[in-house]
Amino acid sequence: MIELSILLDRMSLNERAVIDETKDYLRISHLAFGAAQQIARVIDVESWQDVRVEDAADSLLRVDALFGADQGALIGPLSVVLQKPQGQENIVALITMAGLRQWLETESDARICRVASLERSFRSWTTNFVPWDAELIPPTDAPFEFCNPRRTVQSFGPSRSITESVGRWLVLSAGPGAEESSAFAEWRSVATAKLLPTLASEVLGTPDQLVFGSSRRVRTTISDTSFSHEHYLGVARLSQWIYEDPRAVDTKHTLASDEIARQLSQGASRDAVLSAVERSMDAAKRAYAFVLQEINRDALAALSDLRALVTEEITRISTLTTQLATAVATALGIGVSLVAARVIFDSSPLLIFALMVVVVAYVTTVAKLGADQIVLSEKARGAWRDHLYKFVATSEYNRLVDEPAEMAAKSFRRMRWLGVGVVLFTFFVVSGFALPDDVVDRVAQLIQVTSIGS
């Protein structure tokens, strides 16, 4: 298979063949008769599910026809079509450099890629690239996922012109000498071309038309896609720094893009853009550190305001609890006074009953208003959490805000139920003294019947 790979890559380089390779088949077309014979001599028919030859008249022939007596009847140019054996779903096997280039342009989710022209293994964050005869070791899952650049970079063309996965184009590990192979160089060029648009603020139409910067916008066109290893390292480092943290991706991307634009002029060349990318890393990091200082300063001020708000809320709930306790104590005192007035001075029963109804209504209103204010406070805390205090971890926010406020609210709720119970008991006791005896007897009988029925 290695011999076939070398032959096909040489033919493609010398424009003696056009290669179309996918996971399922390999098609070599535009072949002269002698080139088709060369390919046929190195093909191991047993290694392929199906091998056939096509001529310009769309005649399907076996490989033996290239060496048979009727070979003069073939009409050129010829095509050789090789159907690959059915492999595993997450493994792709590529014979040619053209096939590797074509596969890299797709959004395949294969985890292992066997490449005939690869000499040493290397691994990106999503895929293991291994030589043809190497042992297939299942890749381990990456410790985290990078952010999707399509959500950060504006695209005025097809959204798929921007890569969805930065990790696919970042080297996680490489064997000694892997960078020297032609297959790695091909992957590196495609990876650099895929990562460059992720650094731009806008992509116009195609991935080679880039706009850097937000306030000062610089348009460039990257037409040459042959990149060195140093070019790749500069682009890869900056792209990894931007997209590794989902909370800071927008800030980092804006700072990096603005710094690149600051160093460029309109219509800058490819080399100028790559040099600006390499130099902008340190400047963007310093700018981000300054932003973090400002954010920390604002965060401290916001936390100070949050502490004041929590303290104010707890004080307000404590005041409500105190008001409710005072109302209950007042109601209890009034109830005792009304009973004494009924017994000693024989006051009007209807007047005593009416005063007690007013007392119960007052205590109930105080309890209801307090409960409503607590509900409003809980909704307000939810709004603060979602809009003003996202930078505070959920566990810390619960410990600093929700738990203290909930403890104060529980104290009010206990007082509410205890107070309402005491006031209702007082109401029934006073009503027993205030209402006529026959009314009390009827109420007692009604309570007794209801108890027996239940």
Side-chain angles (χ1 to χ4, degrees):
M1 200 66 69
I2 305 298
E3 184 180 2
L4 176 62
S5 173
I6 295 174
L7 175 62
L8 295 181
D9 288 340
R10 187 169 62 247
M11 286 185 173
S12 177
L13 184 63
N14 297 331
E15 298 183 354
R16 296 174 57 197
V18 176
I19 297 175
D20 180 21
E21 183 176 7
T22 68
K23 179 182 179 181
D24 301 317
Y25 68 86
L26 169 61
R27 182 184 183 89
I28 311 105
S29 57
H30 294 178
L31 294 171
F33 185 79
Q37 284 185 322
Q38 278 186 285
I39 294 173
R41 289 190 183 98
V42 299
I43 289 177
D44 182 8
V45 178
E46 300 298 327
S47 301
W48 302 89
Q49 185 171 334
D50 183 35
V51 180
R52 66 179 185 270
V53 178
E54 300 176 358
D55 65 0
D58 293 332
S59 301
L60 299 180
L61 308 168
R62 296 178 58 84
V63 178
D64 300 341
L66 295 172
F67 305 98
D70 57 346
Q71 55 184 277
L74 296 175
I75 302 175
L78 304 178
S79 299
V80 178
V81 182
L82 310 174
Q83 186 173 354
K84 298 180 180 181
Q86 191 70 25
Q88 299 182 26
E89 184 177 355
N90 63 340
I91 299 177
V92 60
L94 301 172
I95 311 299
T96 64
M97 295 289 293
L100 174 62
R101 190 181 309 112
Q102 293 165 9
W103 179 78
L104 291 175
E105 293 295 337
T106 66
E107 295 187 353
S108 173
D109 56 355
R111 302 295 303 279
I112 299 177
C113 180
R114 297 173 59 194
V115 185
S117 56
L118 186 63
E119 299 174 2
R120 296 288 186 272
S121 300
F122 70 95
R123 179 190 173 195
S124 72
W125 285 78
T126 61
T127 310
N128 282 3
F129 294 86
V130 297
W132 191 262
D133 298 325
E135 181 182 359
L136 300 181
I137 301 176
T140 56
D141 293 332
F144 63 91
E145 291 186 3
F146 290 92
C147 302
N148 187 349
R150 294 178 183 174
R151 300 173 182 171
T152 303
V153 182
Q154 296 186 42
S155 176
F156 295 93
S159 62
R160 294 183 181 274
S161 61
I162 303 173
T163 183
E164 186 178 16
S165 172
V166 170
R168 187 184 182 190
W169 312 110
L170 299 176
V171 173
L172 186 58
S173 62
E179 296 87 351
E180 301 173 0
S181 67
S182 57
F184 181 86
E186 185 65 38
W187 177 88
R188 181 184 63 209
S189 294
V190 176
T192 308
K194 293 290 185 180
L195 290 176
L196 261 178
T198 67
L199 308 180
S201 56
E202 298 176 13
V203 175
L204 305 176
T206 57
D208 61 342
Q209 300 179 18
L210 308 178
V211 176
F212 293 94
S214 54
S215 56
R216 179 179 180 269
R217 302 170 74 253
V218 177
R219 295 182 59 174
T220 62
T221 300
I222 311 296
S223 55
D224 184 2
T225 57
S226 57
F227 301 99
S228 67
H229 192 59
E230 289 71 22
H231 292 157
Y232 167 75
L233 291 178
V235 174
R237 289 193 191 104
L238 185 56
S239 184
Q240 180 172 348
W241 177 72
I242 291 174
Y243 291 99
E244 64 186 0
D245 186 357
R247 294 177 299 179
V249 60
D250 292 332
T251 302
K252 289 182 175 180
H253 179 266
T254 301
L255 293 173
S257 182
D258 286 348
E259 180 59 28
I260 294 172
R262 188 183 65 82
Q263 304 179 39
L264 298 176
S265 58
Q266 295 292 342
S269 64
R270 184 205 69 158
D271 292 339
V273 172
L274 294 172
S275 298
V277 168
E278 187 174 357
R279 293 193 302 269
S280 64
M281 181 74 173
D282 293 336
K285 283 187 173 181
R286 288 194 297 270
Y288 182 65
F290 178 77
V291 170
L292 286 182
Q293 292 179 357
E294 294 297 320
I295 291 176
N296 290 337
R297 188 179 296 111
D298 294 340
L300 289 175
L303 288 176
S304 178
D305 293 341
L306 180 62
R307 182 182 63 179
L309 289 172
V310 172
T311 303
E312 180 183 349
E313 181 177 357
I314 293 175
T315 302
R316 184 169 59 251
I317 295 176
S318 300
T319 302
L320 293 174
T321 305
T322 303
Q323 291 176 353
L324 181 58
T326 302
V328 171
T330 302
L332 186 60
I334 292 175
V336 173
S337 300
L338 292 175
V339 170
R342 173 62 175 165
V343 172
I344 299 174
F345 301 105
D346 194 20
S347 300
S348 171
L350 293 178
L351 178 60
I352 294 176
F353 182 78
L355 290 174
M356 201 61 210
V357 169
V358 172
V359 170
V360 172
Y362 168 70
V363 174
T364 304
T365 301
V366 172
K368 181 64 169 59
L369 291 176
D372 290 344
Q373 289 193 32
I374 291 176
V375 171
L376 290 175
S377 298
E378 292 175 348
K379 292 182 178 179
R381 288 204 308 272
W384 301 341
R385 177 72 180 94
D386 294 336
H387 295 86
L388 300 178
Y389 303 104
K390 280 187 175 181
F391 62 91
V392 183
T394 302
S395 58
E396 289 297 313
Y397 189 86
N398 291 338
R399 184 175 64 86
L400 296 174
V401 180
D402 288 340
E403 291 180 5
E406 183 61 25
M407 291 177 61
K410 283 183 178 179
S411 176
F412 175 83
R413 294 188 186 102
R414 286 194 295 266
M415 187 64 222
R416 181 183 62 180
W417 292 115
L418 178 62
V420 170
V422 169
V423 169
L424 290 178
F425 176 77
T426 304
F427 173 76
F428 287 119
V429 170
V430 172
S431 298
F433 282 92
L435 295 176
D437 294 339
D438 57 340
V439 175
V440 174
D441 292 339
R442 285 198 298 271
V443 171
Q445 292 176 3
L446 180 61
I447 295 175
Q448 184 177 7
V449 171
T450 304
S451 303
I452 297 175
S454 60

